[in-house]
Amino acid sequence: MFYYLEGKVTEIDMSLVVIDCGGVGFAVNTTANTISRVKKGESTRLYTYCNVKEDAFDIYGFASKSEKHSFELLLGVSGVGPKAALSILSSSNPEALAMAVVAGDDKALTAAPGVGKKLAQRIILELKDKLAKEADGLPVKGQAPAAGQGGGSKLGDAVAALTVLGYGSAEISAAIKQIDVDALGLEDIIRQALKLMLRQ
């Protein structure tokens, strides 16, 4: 299916962008964050997710790969459909979603219209469990505190948050090795890792 669409933005609505690709206008459902980054009349690239059903073919597009990855992760949670996923990513961003998951902050998720406390708690529970399993195999223990010390879970939470943002184990491992994990708080570890990975 489509990996991305690139073309001129011809229309912008509340949660919809129309992109002209070679004379064909594609209606792309998206978030407030992505809409804020595109301009009518200018060329843009949106990374896409296609939702194909018997009676529909809907395209969802995002300005960044991390936002698309977060959208797909949210769709993997039982009870979360495309509308709820867009709502969550419109009221926050991938980084804020990652922090909400690792911190267990359901209030950050219920700020999105249509997302109640039960759904927010389910999102945190399911994504935390999934990310914990993914993070277990990552070789990022080089500068981590010894097992049983307080910083071990801090490193695990940072890895989980970076995984939410769509980064692979090799990228995360290389970035974490350059950071003094002991001296920094969780948010600072994540921020520094993101800066290092964006340079690559």
Side-chain angles (χ1 to χ4, degrees), residues 25-91:
F26 290 91
V28 183
N29 300 284
T30 190
T31 65
N33 295 317
T34 289
I35 286 177
S36 71
R37 295 170 66 175
V38 300
K39 290 184 180 178
K40 191 172 179 178
E42 294 187 1
S43 182
T44 193
R45 172 184 290 184
L46 297 183
Y47 297 95
T48 55
Y49 173 89
C50 296
N51 188 33
V52 182
K53 296 180 180 179
E54 287 183 14
D55 58 346
F57 184 103
D58 296 318
I59 302 173
Y60 298 86
F62 309 93
S64 68
K65 291 179 184 178
S66 63
E67 193 173 34
K68 179 194 172 191
H69 183 76
S70 298
F71 178 78
E72 291 172 331
L73 276 175
L74 286 167
L75 290 184
V77 176
S78 55
V80 177
K83 285 185 180 179
L86 282 184
S87 180
I88 291 167
L89 290 171
S90 286
S91 64

Side-chain angles (χ1 to χ4, degrees), residues 13-185:
D13 204 344
M14 292 287 288
S15 60
L16 188 79
V17 173
V18 177
I19 300 181
D20 184 326
C21 301
V24 178
F26 290 91
V28 183
N29 300 284
T30 190
T31 65
N33 295 317
T34 289
I35 286 177
S36 71
R37 295 170 66 175
V38 300
K39 290 184 180 178
K40 191 172 179 178
E42 294 187 1
S43 182
T44 193
R45 172 184 290 184
L46 297 183
Y47 297 95
T48 55
Y49 173 89
C50 296
N51 188 33
V52 182
K53 296 180 180 179
E54 287 183 14
D55 58 346
F57 184 103
D58 296 318
I59 302 173
Y60 298 86
F62 309 93
S64 68
K65 291 179 184 178
S66 63
E67 193 173 34
K68 179 194 172 191
H69 183 76
S70 298
F71 178 78
E72 291 172 331
L73 276 175
L74 286 167
L75 290 184
V77 176
S78 55
V80 177
K83 285 185 180 179
L86 282 184
S87 180
I88 291 167
L89 290 171
S90 286
S91 64
S92 62
N93 58 41
E95 290 82 1
L97 172 64
M99 290 302 300
V101 170
V102 298
D105 183 6
D106 57 10
K107 288 182 181 177
L109 299 180
T110 55
V115 178
K117 188 168 184 176
K118 286 185 179 179
L119 181 57
Q121 290 174 338
R122 190 185 310 135
I123 290 168
I124 290 168
L125 184 67
E126 291 191 24
L127 289 186
K128 241 184 178 178
D129 184 52
K130 179 180 180 180
L131 296 172
K133 289 174 184 173
E134 289 183 15
D136 276 348
L138 295 184
V140 293
K141 303 292 183 184
Q143 291 187 332
Q149 293 181 6
S153 63
K154 180 173 64 175
L155 177 62
D157 286 347
V159 170
L162 295 167
T163 305
V164 169
L165 299 176
Y167 290 99
S169 59
E171 293 173 293
I172 295 172
S173 177
I176 291 289
K177 285 176 182 174
Q178 299 177 61
I179 297 169
D180 185 356
V181 174
D182 292 334
L184 298 173

